[in-house]
Amino acid sequence: MGFVPGYENDIFISYAHNDNSTHASKPDDDKRNWVSLLEDYIRIRARGRGHELKIYRDVQLNPFTGVNQQLADRISQSAIFICVVSPNYTKSKWCLWELEQAFKLNRPDSMLRIGKYPLDDAELQLTQKELLKKTDHLLEARFYTRDESKKTVDDLQPELFPEHLTEFYKRLNPIVDKIIERLKELRAHHENAQPAEVKENQVAVYLAETSKDLADNEREQIRSELAQSGCRVLPDQPLPRDASQLRIAINKHLEQAKLSIHLIGESYGDVLDGEDLSIPHLQFDLAAKMREQKKLAQVVWLPDELSPKGKYQQDFLAKLKDAAPDFLQSKLKDLKAVIREKLKPALPTGWEDAKEHQVKVCLYYHELDKEPVKPIYSHLLIQRSFKVKLPLKDAQSFSGHQQLLQSSDAVLLHYGSGDDEWFGNLWQQIQRHTSTGLAKPILVRAIYAGKPMTEEKELLDSKDPIIIKNFDDFREETLAQFIERIELAKGGKR
Amino acid sequence: MTIQTVGLLDALKTPSNPFPGLRPFESNESHLFFGRDEQIEKMLSRFARTRFLVVVGTSGSGKSSLVRAGLIPALRSGMTPAAKGKWRIAVMRPSNDPIGNLISALNTAEVFGSTEPENAAVQQAITESTLRLGSRGLIEVARQNLLADGENLLVLVDQFEELFRFIREARKAGNAKAENDAADFVKLLLESVKAEAHEANIHVVITMRSDFLGDCSQFWELPETINESQYLVPRLTRDQLREVIEGPVALGGGQIAPRLVNQLLNDIADNQDQLPILQHALMRTWNECKDSQHDHQGLPEVIDLCCYEKIGEMADALSKHADEAYGELAINQREIAQKMFKALTGIGEDNRAIRRPVVFSELCEVTQANPEQVKVVINAFRRPDRSFLMPPAEVTLHDDTPIDILHESLIRNWKGKSKPEKDKRLREWVIDESISAQRYRLLVDFFRWNIPLEDESLEEMLEWQERNAPHPAWARRYDNDEKVFRQSLDYLARQSQDYFAQSEAQDNQQYRHKLIVGSIRGIFINSVVLGFVFFLVFFLHSFEPPPGWPPSSLQNQSFIEWAVTQVNATIYWASYDAMMFGSWIFDWWQSIKNPIIKLGTLFVSMLLAMNFLWLLKQKILRNKLTVNCPTDNLPARPIGGTVNRYLCRQGHQFKGKRHNY
């Protein structure tokens, strides 16, 4: 049994033996041929992620056995079916038979297509065509580039040219990630029958489809970085190329995501029939809408020295500069750093025990002033049923103050026995924490000048913070202004 | 040097400009010091554990601000559970007298100092003798002064790296006492934070440039203590930088456009001087926005791209600002400024530009200007809205006041052009100065080893002398011995004299030779051309014998007479030919109907004629030039008079060498 329980093999690789041999290699030198390299890489990458895979590939070429029930069982007993499609593949009836068997199982999610070399339609027979047409819907990695104008094909031949190896592996990476993800899903499904829950722990990131100049290199780098750090990268399937479906699909993905990342290249991108905006532009707009509803964070990145092509792209860029909250024009490493920052889990605010509509008040006082503060505390807490925290006592660390203050509704600083220096420094810290990066605007800031009376305390005067002077014992009216302001601001908000 | 305390009413004031610019944040500005909370917390936790903290970072990483506006206010506000109570804070820089400066720092009024002047001297002396008792001196001083219960003493040693310079100089001068002093100073600090001394409630914070970390192993026990308590200042993340920008704006009651924030963040990118440059640009942008003259294209009162573009953006803001100060100076004051900045900077061991504090009197000597003028120049650069130089504007300048560039980022970012001379700015001046110093050291070597100066080396030295006009006050910086300076210059003068005298005769001979050869060549070429023309005309018209030939007439005429008639005839025929050719051309030209072609041909023929005349002129002149002054290969920039004349005569070639001045 392999990685996925319930299956004999994890992966079945269907390929033409001719694709796994070169004139240069000896027949039994199986290690460095095309398909063997592919198989080894999948195995090694999976090992890197801590999974040992069992991969089945028909190594022994025995034309006399032909196809048989044993092979058909193997296919159905493998969790994932990979076909290496090339002209050789279409010429081999065994290969096509394997493919047919795989389709009979009706598990398109567990089938992958590797394009080794493009097919020539003219050479195919009708039945083959129909069969292969079905594979068009499968997820595909291509290992060749076809130049339509010159009618030439560049394919990767890592078995012959070592310099092709890097590119070969690079193109294989997304497929391997997909395979591992799919295998994990299958395993989770088998073990728990609740795959949805497993997914919830995973942070989903929407990595927008981008124009061609960034798709292969930059986007792929970000994608693999995210995948490696355990994020679920959306869209996990290619976006539909149909205008009516497109918006729905994007929105569906965005709803799951916590962060959306947009890489902007030099061209505007494809514009679908029946749609005004290009796909990158549309994705940005839809994500921006979500961002405004505070459902996700959004990051826009473009290369350091980008020269946009065409008026549309220039206009789009100008719009981005004004509208995007996080607009990076930098090196890719900076984007990676920003993404890491954005995905850090939020720190606890310290107000978790407060009820939703309860007014949250931070009360600061000098440790010598415990007695005079007691009535204030109890008044706020009991009479007003506010949630009151005493950060100088409650906060576990320096940054605890920041967390508390940034999510509070009001802050009250009792200024009694402490000296000027203590008061001045403390107030400046409070000021800093309550002026930016707030979860919601703070309603009231107040200074309560209490016993003992000094000349300087008498002179205190300000609108924000409001100054409450009471050099006698505590009376309820003293806090009236403070409470009134809170009520007013709360009411105003509602 | 003291730590500013927050006045009670100050705390409630809204600052007029919430950005400090190039200077570090002060400890009464903690409300403006954004984006560093995470770092402060990490520092605090280390500090609470060991009572000793070494804040290490590159130049421009904000070490000083982090301690002054981050750590100290956090301690004083009581917001950290680890350190409670009142704090007495002694701030010092090692400078040229570490222990002396520690004593002064301890005797300020905020620490243990007495407010009465007559007591101050006594107090100072007591502190000094106690400190010098032994390595636990600082603990005893703290005990003597009876810290109240819960009171703490914090010694902040800013720019600890100065100590290493101090030691280097002490070693060079063979000053053993100074070297011991440095070691004692470090020991005093280390001893007072040891676990067994904890009841004395002494804490030590050191800031140091990271380049000097390795040097710390010069002191026993210091590396071990640093290993426990080092804090390497990290770069700010993008979100933290965003806070650095948005926080003070919000606190100052302003608004900033999000697109400008993004622009600033993108522009700052990987700049080493990230923070000072950003702070400076923000300070300027804020002022620009509040400036009533400024035309806001968008919303007024919102700091936007228009304000930012006006100040020259991140790349040029500092240059532009410093240029403003420089531009206000008169021409002679600019020269003083140039000399002054050259004196205030230097190239460090690792080829990095560094600042170099110089006392006022020395500055006057180096610039060779009168003190009033130097004051004007210094004041132009230390006005409160500029503050490129220390001390700040409110401090009066005395002879022994150290003048210093506020931040090294000014050296790296005040840039002009490499040419011409008047467009050079600090960055170029520093390079010029280092080349000049190199030349001087070379000259001293030449002199010491008695190596003769010839050709290029002589030329370089003479050029150096003429350009920099070196004087003893200048040279003192590179070589303490004034005698050496004078002797070296004498040596240069002697060498050049000898060299010129030696080559004079040779030069004159060469000069005469060239003159003769050139003249002959010129005459020869001209006569060949002329002869050819004569021959041509003669040949065209004279292949038939002229009338009066054969020799019957020869008997009547002398050969000379015959030749004269022949020449006359030739000239006659030549002018006749020219006239006929001219009239033929003119007829042809008149026959042209189309006025455009007519004018066109006229134009083309005039061009041809002018071209011909120009060629003729060139030809004649070139012949002359090659003889008289073989300076075709002189460098693009003529250099000093003497050398120039000398080279002219020698026909010297520079072998394609450029002088990168």
Side-chain angles (χ1 to χ4, degrees):
Chain A
M1 210 170 72
F3 174 68
V4 182
Y7 291 98
E8 199 178 316
N9 295 306
D10 297 313
I11 298 169
F12 184 99
I13 301 178
S14 161
Y15 69 107
H17 282 90
N18 280 343
D19 283 336
N20 201 32
S21 67
T22 54
H23 298 298
S25 66
K26 291 176 215 151
D28 56 344
D29 180 13
D30 191 49
K31 272 287 156 205
R32 285 194 42 82
N33 284 327
W34 212 97
V35 183
S36 357
L37 286 170
L38 178 106
E39 183 197 330
D40 284 350
Y41 190 62
I42 296 174
R43 199 192 300 278
I44 290 166
R45 278 286 314 276
R47 197 174 291 154
R49 293 275 166 92
H51 313 308
E52 205 58 54
L53 297 190
K54 212 168 154 197
I55 301 175
Y56 179 80
R57 176 165 70 87
D58 191 7
V59 184
Q60 289 292 307
L61 180 67
N62 190 349
F64 301 107
T65 19
V67 297
N68 54 32
Q69 191 50 44
Q70 205 185 346
L71 199 56
D73 288 345
R74 283 240 160 77
I75 294 172
S76 64
Q77 273 305 304
S78 300
I80 284 179
F81 180 86
I82 296 175
C83 52
V84 182
V85 179
S86 71
N88 282 330
Y89 193 85
T90 59
K91 277 179 208 142
S92 154
K93 63 179 185 203
W94 290 293
C95 294
L96 294 175
W97 178 83
E98 284 170 359
L99 189 59
E100 220 177 311
Q101 293 299 314
F103 275 117
K104 271 188 195 158
L105 298 171
N106 202 14
R107 313 190 292 221
D109 286 349
S110 301
M111 287 174 75
L112 294 164
R113 173 183 154 141
I114 301 275
K116 183 177 183 292
Y117 200 86
L119 303 178
D120 190 350
D121 270 4
E123 281 186 9
L124 295 177
Q125 292 163 10
L126 196 63
T127 47
Q128 294 177 347
K129 258 190 204 169
E130 275 177 9
L131 182 61
L132 286 164
K133 205 166 165 54
K134 284 193 196 167
T135 64
D136 287 350
H137 301 292
L138 301 181
L139 197 74
E140 183 180 6
R142 280 194 187 166
F143 291 82
Y144 56 86
T145 40
R146 197 194 326 225
D147 191 333
E148 291 294 345
S149 58
K150 290 188 200 150
K151 306 250 179 244
T152 55
V153 175
D154 272 339
D155 65 330
L156 289 173
Q157 302 178 4
E159 74 278 24
L160 293 180
F161 309 109
E163 62 271 27
H164 284 191
L165 275 169
T166 328
E167 181 65 24
F168 175 74
Y169 290 144
K170 205 171 118 187
R171 294 201 192 180
L172 206 50
N173 273 334
I175 280 286
V176 178
D177 283 345
K178 265 288 140 25
I179 292 172
I180 294 171
E181 212 171 282
R182 178 68 192 153
L183 287 175
K184 272 191 192 162
E185 264 173 43
L186 287 172
R187 184 157 127 148
H189 186 78
H190 192 271
E191 281 175 354
N192 205 342
Q194 279 175 319
E197 226 166 89
V198 179
K199 270 186 178 178
E200 242 161 51
N201 293 335
Q202 240 183 342
V203 176
V205 175
Y206 187 85
L207 181 59
E209 283 197 2
T210 175
S211 53
K212 288 200 178 58
D213 50 322
L214 301 180
D216 282 347
N217 199 351
E218 282 82 356
R219 186 176 184 279
E220 177 47 32
Q221 274 193 48
I222 297 294
R223 190 206 60 76
S224 66
E225 176 88 36
L226 286 168
Q228 206 174 35
S229 55
C231 296
R232 200 153 57 88
V233 185
L234 300 169
D236 45 6
Q237 286 142 13
L239 290 174
R241 302 279 135 173
D242 175 356
S244 56
Q245 297 292 311
L246 184 62
R247 277 171 188 261
I248 301 167
I250 296 174
N251 271 329
K252 203 182 89 196
H253 289 310
L254 281 172
E255 267 160 24
Q256 305 169 41
K258 186 186 161 196
L259 171 71
S260 81
I261 302 164
H262 305 261
L263 313 183
I264 309 298
E266 53 184 20
S267 59
Y268 186 56
D270 296 340
V271 181
L272 293 188
D273 205 5
E275 186 66 68
D276 294 338
L277 306 173
S278 73
I279 298 175
H281 193 158
L282 188 68
Q283 291 175 98
F284 173 80
D285 280 3
L286 293 176
K289 236 177 242 166
M290 293 267 185
R291 184 195 77 229
E292 277 154 24
Q293 297 160 14
K294 304 235 174 199
K295 284 184 187 155
L296 53 70
Q298 202 180 16
V299 177
V300 177
W301 175 84
L302 45 133
D304 236 346
E305 275 154 22
L306 182 84
S307 43
K309 278 186 193 155
K311 192 183 163 304
Y312 283 110
Q313 185 67 352
Q314 281 165 12
D315 290 350
F316 180 40
L317 272 188
K319 179 184 157 185
L320 282 178
K321 265 183 195 170
D322 286 344
D326 257 310
F327 179 83
L328 278 84
Q329 185 156 21
S330 60
K331 300 189 184 72
L332 200 64
K333 66 177 177 72
D334 296 328
L335 174 64
K336 287 183 186 169
V338 168
I339 293 173
R340 273 196 295 275
E341 284 288 306
K342 296 266 176 210
L343 291 178
K344 269 190 191 164
L347 293 168
T349 60
W351 289 104
E352 283 76 12
D353 48 351
K355 288 181 204 108
E356 203 182 325
H357 288 295
Q358 218 171 2
V359 177
K360 305 193 254 304
V361 182
C362 282
L363 177 59
Y364 279 88
Y365 63 93
H366 196 267
E367 46 187 3
L368 298 176
D369 290 328
K370 273 180 196 144
E371 284 307 312
V373 168
K374 262 183 196 163
I376 304 177
Y377 179 68
S378 57
H379 177 80
L380 294 175
L381 192 71
I382 296 160
Q383 252 111 316
R384 298 290 163 180
S385 62
F386 291 169
K387 185 79 196 172
V388 184
K389 294 252 170 184
L390 310 172
L392 288 179
K393 236 177 79 195
D394 296 345
Q396 294 303 313
S397 62
F398 182 66
S399 63
H401 292 268
Q402 188 178 5
Q403 309 306 335
L404 280 175
L405 284 168
Q406 294 197 331
S407 309
S408 62
D409 294 313
V411 54
L412 179 65
L413 168 57
H414 179 272
Y415 176 28
S417 313
D419 58 4
D420 296 357
E421 201 176 272
W422 169 82
F423 166 74
N425 279 299
L426 182 57
W427 180 248
Q428 285 195 336
Q429 302 282 346
I430 294 173
Q431 242 183 323
R432 189 173 78 235
H433 291 319
T434 52
S435 62
T436 187
L438 302 174
K440 52 188 189 311
I442 200 148
L443 306 179
V444 184
R445 302 191 293 180
I447 292 171
Y448 185 106
K451 281 190 286 196
M453 190 180 93
T454 63
E455 206 172 305
E456 273 166 322
K457 281 185 195 169
E458 278 282 12
L459 288 173
L460 281 180
D461 181 32
S462 152
K463 275 193 177 138
D464 179 28
I466 53 174
I467 310 282
I468 302 160
K469 289 177 197 161
N470 177 26
F471 302 114
D472 293 328
D473 286 338
F474 176 75
R475 299 184 306 275
E476 282 188 13
E477 312 87 81
T478 337
L479 280 181
Q481 192 191 2
F482 177 66
I483 286 156
E484 200 178 297
R485 282 277 195 101
I486 293 177
E487 298 290 343
L488 203 71
K490 270 265 176 199
K493 267 177 82 183
R494 274 173 206 154
Chain B
M1 215 171 353
T2 54
I3 277 288
Q4 311 254 356
T5 47
V6 190
L8 184 63
L9 301 172
D10 293 351
L12 297 177
K13 250 189 242 159
T14 312
S16 61
N17 187 336
F19 297 103
L22 278 185
R23 69 169 172 80
F25 280 87
E26 285 301 336
S27 56
N28 58 357
E29 290 172 327
S30 68
H31 57 317
L32 304 174
F33 192 61
F34 281 87
R36 300 290 196 121
D37 290 287
E38 209 182 312
Q39 300 183 1
I40 296 168
E41 172 157 9
K42 295 266 158 63
M43 282 166 73
L44 280 169
S45 70
R46 203 147 307 183
F47 181 66
R49 209 179 56 229
T50 59
R51 302 196 167 198
F52 188 81
L53 186 68
V54 185
V55 183
V56 184
T58 54
S59 155
S61 59
K63 305 175 287 290
S64 214
S65 300
L66 195 53
V67 173
R68 281 160 189 262
L71 184 74
I72 289 175
L75 290 174
R76 280 181 166 166
S77 70
M79 267 188 165
T80 150
K84 284 257 157 68
K86 247 181 101 61
W87 290 86
R88 298 197 186 188
I89 299 170
V91 193
M92 62 163 293
R93 267 168 73 168
S95 206
N96 287 327
D97 182 11
I99 292 193
N101 290 333
L102 176 62
I103 294 164
S104 323
L106 288 172
N107 278 310
T108 50
E110 296 87 49
V111 193
F112 302 140
S114 163
T115 42
E116 290 157 43
E118 51 266 31
N119 287 351
V122 177
Q123 181 102 27
Q124 182 109 2
I126 294 177
T127 313
E128 171 148 20
S129 71
T130 315
L131 273 187
R132 293 205 186 267
L133 276 178
S135 48
R136 289 172 65 88
L138 189 57
I139 304 169
E140 286 199 22
V141 171
R143 282 204 193 121
Q144 280 170 5
N145 288 284
L146 295 176
L147 285 178
D149 198 23
E151 251 191 333
N152 302 288
L153 170 68
L154 173 70
V155 180
L156 166 59
V157 187
D158 211 358
Q159 307 200 11
F160 188 73
E161 67 268 15
E162 286 181 353
L163 199 63
F164 302 118
R165 207 195 59 208
F166 173 70
I167 293 177
R168 212 171 39 235
E169 281 170 10
R171 273 189 200 146
K172 227 163 125 188
N175 185 348
K177 181 182 174 290
E179 242 186 292
N180 287 335
D181 254 15
D184 288 348
F185 169 71
V186 174
K187 199 79 184 95
L188 280 174
L189 298 180
L190 293 178
E191 207 61 36
S192 59
V193 292
K194 282 201 171 151
E196 57 267 27
H198 272 193
E199 90 283 0
N201 280 342
I202 301 175
H203 300 70
V204 176
V205 177
I206 286 174
T207 73
M208 178 167 61
R209 251 173 69 172
S210 45
D211 334 19
F212 291 88
L213 199 54
D215 293 290
C216 292
S217 57
Q218 293 178 22
F219 298 104
W220 294 111
E221 290 183 39
L222 183 60
E224 288 88 337
T225 317
I226 290 180
N227 286 341
E228 292 289 302
S229 52
Q230 189 197 144
Y231 184 74
L232 181 60
V233 180
R235 257 180 64 179
L236 295 191
T237 65
R238 200 173 165 94
D239 279 348
Q240 287 168 339
L241 282 172
R242 185 182 288 280
E243 272 184 49
V244 167
I245 299 168
E246 287 175 347
V249 173
L251 217 137
Q255 268 180 299
I256 185 164
R259 61 180 175 181
L260 176 58
V261 178
N262 277 323
Q263 178 85 41
L264 285 162
L265 291 173
N266 288 337
D267 285 354
I268 204 72
D270 289 332
N271 196 324
Q272 182 205 345
D273 294 319
Q274 214 186 30
L275 292 170
I277 294 272
L278 177 66
Q279 286 295 342
H280 175 264
L282 284 167
M283 187 255 304
R284 291 276 284 165
T285 314
W286 176 278
N287 283 342
E288 182 65 37
C289 176
K290 300 290 166 201
D291 187 0
S292 54
Q293 309 265 309
H294 180 76
D295 167 36
H296 285 275
Q297 288 138 17
L299 300 163
E301 297 301 309
V302 175
I303 307 171
D304 207 342
L305 284 172
C306 59
C307 317
Y308 178 57
E309 278 159 13
K310 196 78 189 294
I311 60 136
E313 308 200 346
M314 200 84 75
D316 290 324
L318 201 52
S319 264
K320 222 175 157 182
H321 194 192
D323 272 350
E324 272 176 26
Y326 188 64
E328 282 171 14
L329 301 174
I331 302 288
N332 66 326
Q333 288 171 336
R334 283 186 200 180
E335 211 165 288
I336 297 173
Q338 186 179 340
K339 282 182 187 160
M340 178 181 84
F341 276 109
K342 279 181 178 176
L344 287 172
T345 52
I347 299 274
E349 277 170 3
D350 49 354
N351 260 337
R352 277 198 230 178
I354 49 171
R355 59 187 177 181
R356 192 178 154 273
V358 174
V359 295
F360 180 68
S361 57
E362 192 186 329
L363 213 52
C364 295
E365 277 176 42
V366 173
T367 54
Q368 292 187 303
N370 82 38
E372 286 312 308
Q373 288 283 312
V374 180
K375 262 183 201 167
V376 172
V377 175
I378 293 177
N379 287 339
F381 283 97
R382 61 168 195 155
R383 250 169 47 179
D385 61 330
R386 294 203 180 119
S387 60
F388 292 124
L389 292 181
M390 294 234 276
E394 61 270 15
V395 179
T396 18
L397 297 177
H398 300 290
D399 276 356
D400 59 344
T401 314
I403 311 292
D404 195 1
I405 289 175
L406 187 78
H407 201 280
E408 268 154 23
S409 60
L410 183 71
I411 311 176
R412 290 185 282 264
N413 292 288
W414 186 13
K415 42 192 188 264
K417 292 178 193 138
S418 56
K419 271 194 265 183
E421 194 68 20
K422 71 174 170 62
D423 285 349
K424 289 186 175 180
R425 292 296 181 267
L426 189 48
R427 209 158 76 165
E428 290 79 27
W429 293 338
V430 174
I431 298 168
D432 279 5
E433 178 66 15
S434 81
I435 294 175
S436 175
Q438 244 172 24
R439 290 266 160 90
Y440 171 60
R441 290 198 191 101
L442 201 64
L443 178 65
V444 172
D445 285 350
F446 270 113
F447 158 69
R448 283 197 175 133
W449 299 96
N450 204 13
I451 306 169
L453 284 154
E454 277 177 334
D455 289 342
E456 283 190 21
S457 55
L458 182 66
E459 168 211 319
E460 275 183 4
M461 286 305 165
L462 289 173
E463 187 197 342
W464 165 76
Q465 193 184 14
E466 186 154 322
R467 178 185 287 274
N468 293 294
H471 52 87
W474 173 82
R476 207 173 300 144
R477 171 176 170 189
Y478 299 105
D479 198 318
N480 285 326
D481 200 349
E482 197 176 319
K483 215 168 107 195
V484 174
F485 171 73
R486 294 209 185 281
Q487 284 171 339
S488 302
L489 281 193
D490 285 349
Y491 181 72
L492 175 61
R494 271 206 313 279
Q495 286 281 313
S496 68
Q497 233 170 12
D498 290 355
Y499 191 72
F500 280 128
Q502 206 182 44
S503 54
E504 187 96 11
Q506 197 187 339
D507 295 345
N508 286 344
Q509 200 186 339
Q510 262 182 6
Y511 173 60
R512 245 175 269 128
H513 175 75
K514 280 201 173 173
L515 189 66
I516 293 164
V517 170
S519 314
I520 293 172
R521 199 166 63 182
I523 292 166
F524 181 73
I525 290 171
N526 286 343
S527 47
V528 164
V529 171
L530 211 61
F532 182 68
V533 171
F534 269 72
F535 174 74
L536 207 65
V537 178
F538 182 80
F539 181 75
L540 279 172
H541 299 281
S542 312
F543 50 85
E544 266 179 39
W549 186 266
S552 59
S553 51
L554 192 66
Q555 284 164 3
N556 306 331
Q557 280 177 314
S558 72
F559 176 75
I560 303 289
E561 277 170 320
W562 173 79
V564 169
T565 46
Q566 289 305 307
V567 171
N568 277 343
T570 312
I571 293 170
Y572 167 76
W573 282 119
S575 42
Y576 176 76
D577 278 2
M579 215 172 69
M580 287 308 285
F581 182 69
S583 66
W584 178 74
I585 294 279
F586 186 68
D587 284 349
W588 171 77
W589 186 71
Q590 278 212 319
S591 69
I592 298 170
K593 296 267 165 27
N594 189 333
I596 295 172
I597 295 180
K598 207 168 180 170
L599 280 172
T601 46
L602 186 68
F603 181 68
V604 168
S605 58
M606 275 170 69
L607 267 184
L608 282 173
M610 274 160 66
N611 211 359
F612 177 71
L613 283 174
W614 181 78
L615 274 176
L616 210 64
K617 176 180 153 253
Q618 284 292 308
K619 183 70 199 157
I620 294 162
L621 275 187
R622 181 107 47 90
N623 264 344
K624 258 169 100 182
L625 270 174
T626 40
V627 181
N628 289 341
C629 189
T631 54
D632 289 4
N633 290 317
L634 271 184
R637 167 189 291 271
I639 51 175
T642 337
V643 184
N644 217 350
R645 246 171 283 129
Y646 156 71
L647 290 171
C648 259
R649 261 186 279 155
Q650 253 229 327
H652 195 99
Q653 297 207 350
F654 282 89
K655 296 173 191 148
K657 195 166 143 272
R658 291 285 298 263
H659 295 267
N660 298 323
Y661 261 95

